[in-house]
Amino acid sequence: MRNVMIIIKKQLKDTIKNKTILIQFILFPMMTLIMENAMNLDGMPELFFTKLFSVMYIGMAPITSVAAIISEEKEKNTLRVLMMANVKPWQYLIGVGIYVWGICMAGAGVMAAGLSENNIVSYLCVMGIGFVISIIAGACIGMFAKNQMAATSIAMPVMMILAFAPMLAMFNERINKAAQFFYTEQLKEILDSMSLDHVTGRTAGIIMMNAVMLIVLFFIVYKRKGLE
């Protein structure tokens, strides 16, 4: 546990220095606050920008951040130093995961500012589940990539699909049918109702299937690539 806390503190210091990663955590919360308070069009659904940016936040920030953190430290041989300092791989990965999840949840807390008290808990639960799945995806990319540039190249299309497919699905029936298989689309549908009471077995099943597939992929990549 001590080593995990060391990793979390290290990542906090590194994020403050790394503006590229830092902006991932604050972009969507800021955009949500600005757009919800600045835009008020006739016929616009309630909390439209909060729901839209929440799904984009899930599909972008954790994936790009975790992938960038792991790949950058591999490239700079920081991970090798940590391993020599008796930090085990699982401690490092848990530390990074907890750190990114915590920062993202803080952002989600800011985005929940416009919600009613009855919806905040459900909203944060949905966001928390989405962040966990995206963190696993980001870890897979970070471990698989040889360096930070390669990680960005892989993360970009994954991020674009997961973040923008739910938005495009609102306007295109074909995209909607394909997007149904992504956890971000299912989480969007839960957010649309702002209640966990409307979660169906199909929705839970698809989200679980996505999570299981990414966990399996994580162990495959870890077994082949590790943190070397």
Side-chain angles (χ1 to χ4, degrees), residues 5 19 21 32 60 108 185 187 200 209 216 226:
M5 292 304 300
K19 300 300 186 292
I21 296 178
T32 300
M60 296 179 71
E185 170 62 22
L187 293 174
T200 64
M209 179 184 67
V216 170

Side-chain angles (χ1 to χ4, degrees), residues 34-92:
I34 293 171
M35 297 300 286
E36 283 289 1
N37 289 282
M39 300 290 290
N40 187 17
L41 303 177
D42 292 336
M44 179 183 294
E46 185 181 9
L47 301 171
F48 175 78
F49 291 109
T50 299
K51 296 173 182 178
L52 178 63
F53 290 144
S54 293
V55 176
M56 295 175 70
Y57 194 32
I58 290 172
M60 296 179 71
I63 293 176
T64 54
S65 299
V66 173
I69 289 170
I70 295 176
S71 60
E72 181 181 14
E73 294 195 342
K74 283 173 58 180
E75 185 177 359
K76 294 181 177 179
N77 289 323
T78 311
L79 278 176
R80 192 180 299 274
V81 175
L82 289 172
M83 298 304 120
M84 292 175 63
N86 294 325
V87 175
K88 293 179 172 55
W90 67 267
Q91 292 174 329
Y92 172 78

Side-chain angles (χ1 to χ4, degrees), residues 49-224:
F49 291 109
T50 299
K51 296 173 182 178
L52 178 63
F53 290 144
S54 293
V55 176
M56 295 175 70
Y57 194 32
I58 290 172
M60 296 179 71
I63 293 176
T64 54
S65 299
V66 173
I69 289 170
I70 295 176
S71 60
E72 181 181 14
E73 294 195 342
K74 283 173 58 180
E75 185 177 359
K76 294 181 177 179
N77 289 323
T78 311
L79 278 176
R80 192 180 299 274
V81 175
L82 289 172
M83 298 304 120
M84 292 175 63
N86 294 325
V87 175
K88 293 179 172 55
W90 67 267
Q91 292 174 329
Y92 172 78
L93 292 170
I94 289 176
V96 171
I98 291 175
Y99 167 73
V100 172
W101 188 86
I103 295 293
C104 286
M105 285 301 291
V110 174
M111 298 171 77
L115 303 180
S116 65
E117 293 183 4
N118 295 333
N119 293 330
I120 290 177
V121 173
S122 297
Y123 173 80
L124 292 178
C125 286
V126 172
M127 296 297 286
I129 292 170
F131 290 145
V132 169
I133 300 174
S134 291
I135 285 169
I136 297 171
C140 292
I141 295 171
M143 289 189 298
F144 181 79
K146 294 181 179 180
N147 50 53
Q148 194 172 5
M149 183 176 293
T152 301
S153 300
I154 299 171
M156 190 62 67
V158 174
M159 174 189 71
M160 295 291 285
I161 291 172
L162 293 175
F164 289 101
M167 179 182 67
L168 297 175
M170 294 188 295
F171 308 102
N172 187 289
E173 185 62 29
R174 291 184 179 180
I175 295 178
N176 183 46
K177 290 180 179 179
Q180 292 295 318
F181 296 100
F182 301 137
Y183 67 96
T184 46
E185 170 62 22
Q186 297 304 318
L187 293 174
K188 174 187 173 296
E189 293 183 6
I190 299 175
L191 288 175
D192 284 342
S193 64
M194 279 294 174
S195 174
L196 297 177
D197 295 335
H198 294 83
V199 178
T200 64
R202 176 178 175 276
T203 297
I206 293 175
I207 294 173
M208 184 65 69
M209 179 184 67
N210 277 246
V212 170
M213 289 175 61
L214 285 170
I215 290 171
V216 170
L217 179 62
F218 172 86
F219 282 107
I220 292 174
V221 174
Y222 180 80
K223 186 175 181 180
R224 292 186 179 181

